[in-house]
Amino acid sequence: MAATTKAVDSDSLVIPLVDFSQFQTGTPEQRSSTAKSILHGFQTAGFIYLTNIPIPPATITHAFTTSSNFFSRPQSCKESLGWTTPESNRGYVSHGREKVSTLLTKDAVAASRTQAPDLKESFEIGREGEAELPNNWPADSAGEEFRKVMLEFHDVCKNLYISVMRAIAVGMGLDECYFDGYTDVGDNTLRLLHYPEVKKDVFKSNKLQVRAGEHTDYGSITLLFQDDRGGLQVKSPRGTFVDAIPIPGSVVVNAGDLLARWSNDTIKSTLHRVVEPPAPEEGDVHPARYSIAYFCNPNFKSHIEAIPGTYGEEKDKKYAGINSGEYLVQRLAATY
């Protein structure tokens, strides 16, 4: 495998820091070695960090600035663009409405939400052009610029998703384009996240309080762009939660439940959460945190069966085949 550095190494959790340019433009040997490093990270930690991705830093910075501008809009404006159904999964989600967790029923999630609501708001953007499932855009000149920036970012993230899945295919010894027919439609969700500033005593008074509860993601992979505030933690093999510190110029990529299922559990979908960030040296308030997550899914019409090579004489298929879109709607329906 490629010589990689470690983004995280604590409590038996090792998350590699991989130079993705070695897969994109390297020699055949470099591409193969990098692909194996990426796959190994997903198989052991469920998380990797990628550097030198094909998205210019200025593009990411502009997306963050545009996201921040959106969340500074009046609450009534944001509420008018509200999230409606799991099938659509588009629009604004106000503070406390979503409760990410490992729970699978609406009643259990509702009880958890009451006890410790997630301290965040978000805006979900799906594939544009679906007449029955339109995105919810602000109807003003700033909203038009917001739409333009976010749809362009949706597209560049889709291209990175396709490339990462090609690396996984190479690492697994499959044809490089094995997943292309599952990723070409772009049934993915771009989520803008704002964790508002919060007083330190909010966390002290409720030990269960977090900015986002422990959970796994639902799809194939997630691309996570972080600011420098910190707070993301990943569960280690020892059962502890380890800080996944922001590294400038990198994107965090984690495997989701559907990819774990698709790989017959040879790839891990690992629990993670967003908690109280490192305490500021002065004052009693944690500053706001922003992140952008791009949730990558197999095309919603895809039928997902165990990938060849992940089962055989010594290992049976663990899961029945499932439709990608139906599975994701089922998971989302319990979350909101």
Side-chain angles (χ1 to χ4, degrees), residues 12 55 132 172 186 190 200 214 237 324:
S12 301
I55 303 177
E132 297 181 1
M172 297 181 78
L190 177 63
K200 295 178 185 178
E214 66 177 77
S324 170

Side-chain angles (χ1 to χ4, degrees), residues 52-214:
N52 294 319
I53 61 172
I55 303 177
T59 299
I60 298 170
T61 298
H62 189 43
F64 268 86
T65 300
T66 306
S67 172
S68 175
N69 290 341
F70 171 81
F71 287 116
S72 69
R73 284 173 172 262
Q75 188 64 26
S76 59
C77 173
K78 293 183 290 186
E79 294 283 2
S80 71
L81 305 170
W83 188 97
T84 52
T85 67
E87 289 78 12
S88 172
N89 194 29
R90 290 161 166 81
Y92 173 71
V93 180
S94 58
H95 298 281
R97 178 173 183 182
E98 181 193 28
K99 180 62 182 178
V100 289
S101 70
T102 57
L103 304 172
L104 297 178
T105 68
K106 289 187 72 66
D107 289 345
V109 172
S112 178
R113 181 189 295 113
T114 300
Q115 193 173 37
D118 286 355
L119 301 178
K120 68 178 188 296
E121 59 180 339
S122 66
F123 190 78
E124 320 288 316
I125 301 165
R127 177 164 63 90
E128 187 82 330
E130 293 190 83
E132 297 181 1
L133 301 172
N135 283 305
N136 296 347
W137 303 112
D140 54 29
S141 57
E144 181 56 35
E145 175 64 16
F146 175 68
R147 174 182 179 276
K148 178 177 179 292
V149 170
M150 292 308 160
L151 289 180
E152 289 176 353
F153 199 67
H154 196 289
D155 285 345
V156 295
C157 288
K158 174 190 171 185
N159 292 336
L160 178 57
Y161 166 41
I162 292 171
S163 295
V164 173
M165 294 304 292
R166 287 177 177 175
I168 292 172
V170 172
M172 297 181 78
L174 303 169
D175 182 275
E176 180 174 338
C177 297
Y178 177 83
F179 294 110
D180 283 9
Y182 296 93
T183 60
D184 56 342
V185 173
D187 284 326
N188 311 314
T189 299
L190 177 63
R191 171 180 288 182
L192 312 179
L193 285 153
H194 171 222
Y195 302 87
E197 68 175 30
V198 58
K199 291 186 176 181
K200 295 178 185 178
D201 59 13
V202 169
F203 295 99
K204 292 178 182 178
S205 62
N206 185 353
K207 297 302 182 183
L208 297 176
Q209 186 64 67
V210 292
R211 279 179 155 172
E214 66 177 77

